[in-house]
Amino acid sequence: MARPEINRSGEIEVFVRVVEEGSFSSAARALRMTPSAVSKLIARLEARLGARLVSRSTRKLQLTPEGTAFYESGLRILADMAAAEQEAAAGASPRGRVRINSYVPFGVHRLVPLLPRFLERYPEISVDLVLTDSVVDLMAERADVAIRAGPLSGSRLVARKLGQSPVVVVAAPSYLDTHGIPLTPADLDRHNRMGFGFVRHLDGWPFLDAEGRAIMIPITGNTLVSDGEAMRLMALAGAGIARLARWHVAEDIAASRLVPLLEAFNPGDEEPTHAVYVGQGRHLPARVRAFLDFLVESVRLT
């Protein structure tokens, strides 16, 4: 007896919908199928793959590690199929929505000013932009591209470097007039050092001591903020001392709104910025590839 044909794309679409809806019954309603039909299809898929994709031991649907990997691959496959159809129908013209998640300073000072030119170049693309300094799960947020500052942690995400910038310690003249100017890193013990309300890759501010040895000054103060732009604004208001990427405060320094501090003890570390996304370049929809290429072409952080 001939083996029945397997509709792999249909299986993937059902599995992805189950994950996104959070249950077999919700996915069944969305797909206009019965819950038993969805359950049987997932069971057949697991049997064919020889791997359990969904844990059924809890009331809430949970993915196994194999299920998570298959879900991520499934999303890329469905995106590739949709992109192939769109490109064939539109002469390979990028179209559709690009969901972007960016850390706040980059979004405010670099990305937002560039987006009108991107949208003018690609009139059939729309953007959905979210700004946050928190590191988001691209899969959970359904973001196509995330723009992140600092070293990248190991993951299955692919990264394209957009640039890097030296880091500088700054304060407003109004703060320095009231509290004095720190002349050495040790002087910071008498100053309000503003920090972030989320985990950073460095637990302190790095400096060099008088002998050129690396030291770390802890962050202690009365101000925690959610993002780099909020810290910049607090520094401008005279709330305390901040440590930020130089590109972020370059105009403030040039206009004497902020003053660089302790430059003789600056270790010269630089903060990179990357665009990260799921999947290799050959798997990218045309709209996402167009956006990434535009960023690499247009962004300057020096």
Side-chain angles (χ1 to χ4, degrees), residues 234-256:
M234 290 293 288
L236 287 169
I241 298 177
R243 186 174 186 270
L244 297 164
R246 183 174 284 272
W247 74 262
H248 186 189
V249 292
E251 293 183 4
D252 299 316
I253 292 172
S256 299

Side-chain angles (χ1 to χ4, degrees), residues 212-296:
R213 295 171 300 197
I215 58 174
M216 189 71 71
I217 301 297
I219 303 170
T220 58
N222 61 12
T223 304
L224 294 177
V225 297
S226 63
D227 59 78
E229 181 64 4
M231 179 170 287
R232 169 182 168 268
L233 294 174
M234 290 293 288
L236 287 169
I241 298 177
R243 186 174 186 270
L244 297 164
R246 183 174 284 272
W247 74 262
H248 186 189
V249 292
E251 293 183 4
D252 299 316
I253 292 172
S256 299
R257 294 187 295 264
L258 291 175
V259 178
L261 303 173
L262 303 171
E263 287 290 83
F265 304 92
N266 192 321
D269 57 317
E270 296 192 336
E271 181 180 80
T273 292
H274 294 87
V276 299
Y277 54 96
V278 177
Q280 301 297 329
R282 60 189 176 88
H283 294 302
L284 287 178
R287 68 185 190 281
V288 179
R289 187 180 297 111
F291 178 68
L292 289 168
D293 290 344
F294 176 82
L295 282 181
V296 173

